[in-house]
Each structure stands twice: as structure tokens, then as C-alpha cells.
Amino acid sequence: EVQLVESGGGLVQPGGSLRLSCSASGFTFSSYAMHWVRQAPGKGLEYVSAISSNGGSTYYADSVKGRFTISRDNSKNTLYLQMSSLRAEDTAVYYCVKTRRVGAVHDAFDIWGQGTMVTVSS
Amino acid sequence: EIVLTQSPGTLSLSPGERATLSCRASQSVSSSYLAWYQQKPGQAPRLLIYGASSRATGIPDRFSGSGSGTDFTLTISRLEPEDFAVYYCQQYGSSPTFGQGTKVEIK
């Protein structure tokens, strides 16, 4: 079964840091670009970041550029999101998502994790 | 950044009725890189449609997508009880964005 499982969420103070992880199974992780999408409580979906299959290319939404870093370890089938200088507006459920086609960064998201909640508050 | 505007915000319908959801882009969406997702409360979104009109694996044929350029439509031919949910469109070009969502609720 294709599966994505996020972890690492929690409560953090404004200005703090947190690292999210996403463990992938059931598919050849190293062949697919991966992304992070977030959803603030009661709000819609917001695109956050992308990384190519080999990790050589990354993309960030303007709202997180310079504060978040996406990375992956293909030997461990794991995707990461290092978040720093966190703000109240970063409070959201963070979803790890897989692209539909091998190698394609610009593609629809066919598999979503269950999400991990990040709360930024003092 | 391409802004996607979905309408209506809420659609109140009865089971068995037809649902028509609209997604309008602020500029042309390249190569029909347009997807639709369904999200139920407490769940992650699920891919329904990609490439504007192709159904994802396992999606019933009552769901269909159409459109190109700046105007796209998701149609649910006959609403089943499990179809009441929030629907999002997404363009997955160079700077992906999502629409704000349309809630399909039971009338």
C-alpha cells in the first residue's frame, strides 16, 4: 500500500524552529518529486514547497521563502521540512504529498499523508 | 502567481441532483495543468481529476472535469451521500496555487 506518514508537529513559540518528517512506503520514493501543502484551521489549502526526485531542485512559496527548507533522504525514503522563524500564521496542518507521475515536479498530487499539526503560539 | 477563484462558495443540493462547480484562473493555465480535489472533514484531500479532464484512479465516472485556458468546471452528475464535501481546484504549473474551495452541502 502506498503510504505517507508525517511526524514532528507540535506546539512551538513564535520565532522557534521545528522539523517535520514524512516517511514514505509502498512506492519507489526516489523516483518522485515531493511537496508540502498546509491548511490553517478552518481554512483552505496553501502550497508550501517542492523538491525534485533527486533533491537537486527546490521551490518555495513566497510566504515561507528564506524560513523553510525542504530536503529528502532517498536512502531512508523520507522527506523533511525544516521550519525556522516560525510565526502565528504558520499554524496549520502540514501535509506531505506525492506527485502522480515519475520524475514530474509539475503534476497533480495523487497521494496525501494524514497531516501533522503545527501550532505557533506563546 | 495565478489566482484561482471558485464559485459558488457553497452549493446546497439534494442527493441525486447534478452539481456544477466553477474554477476561474486569473491567467491561462498552461497545458491544462488543472486538478480537482475532494476533502471531507478531518481527512486529507483526495485527487479526483488531473489534466483538467482525466479521472484519477478509482474515481467514479459521475465525476467529470472540463475546460481549458482560464475556465474550468467539475461536474458531479448525480450526487451520492458521500459526495457532500469541500472541493478545491489547483493549478500545478511553475508556481502552484489552490482555489479557496466550494462546499457542497445537503439541502
Side-chain angles (χ1 to χ4, degrees), chain A residues 7-8 14 16 19 22 27 29-31 33 35 44 53 55 85-86 89 93 98 101 107 110 113-115 119 122:
Chain A
S7 61
R19 188 177 84 156
C22 171
F27 65 100
F29 179 72
S30 60
S31 294
H35 306 249
S53 57
S85 302
L86 284 162
E89 55 264 36
V93 174
K98 167 189 167 292
R101 292 174 297 161
D107 198 5
D110 65 342
Q114 86 288 352
T119 302
S122 55

Side-chain angles (χ1 to χ4, degrees), chain B residues 74-85:
Chain B
L74 174 70
T75 301
I76 310 171
S77 59
R78 287 177 57 85
L79 283 164
E80 296 288 340
E82 61 268 28
D83 298 337
F84 292 91

Side-chain angles (χ1 to χ4, degrees), chain B:
Chain B
E1 173 181 296
I2 297 178
V3 176
L4 300 178
T5 302
Q6 293 186 238
S7 61
T10 302
L11 200 50
S12 298
L13 295 168
S14 300
E17 290 193 293
R18 181 184 187 91
T20 302
L21 288 66
S22 174
C23 176
R24 179 161 291 176
S26 60
Q27 55 188 281
S28 184
V29 176
S30 60
S31 304
S32 291
Y33 280 177
L34 195 286
W36 290 92
Y37 301 86
Q38 176 194 67
Q39 187 178 33
K40 297 179 181 179
Q43 297 184 15
R46 176 175 71 144
L47 177 64
L48 299 175
I49 300 288
Y50 63 90
S53 60
S54 297
R55 271 188 301 277
T57 303
I59 301 304
D61 60 7
R62 64 180 181 274
F63 291 92
S64 63
S66 63
S68 64
T70 61
D71 288 296
F72 299 88
T73 300
L74 174 70
T75 301
I76 310 171
S77 59
R78 287 177 57 85
L79 283 164
E80 296 288 340
E82 61 268 28
D83 298 337
F84 292 91
V86 179
Y87 293 83
Y88 294 95
C89 60
Q90 178 213 15
Q91 64 82 20
Y92 47 92
S94 57
S95 301
T97 51
F98 289 92
Q100 82 280 16
T102 289
K103 182 180 182 180
V104 178
E105 65 176 22
I106 300 177
K107 186 174 181 180

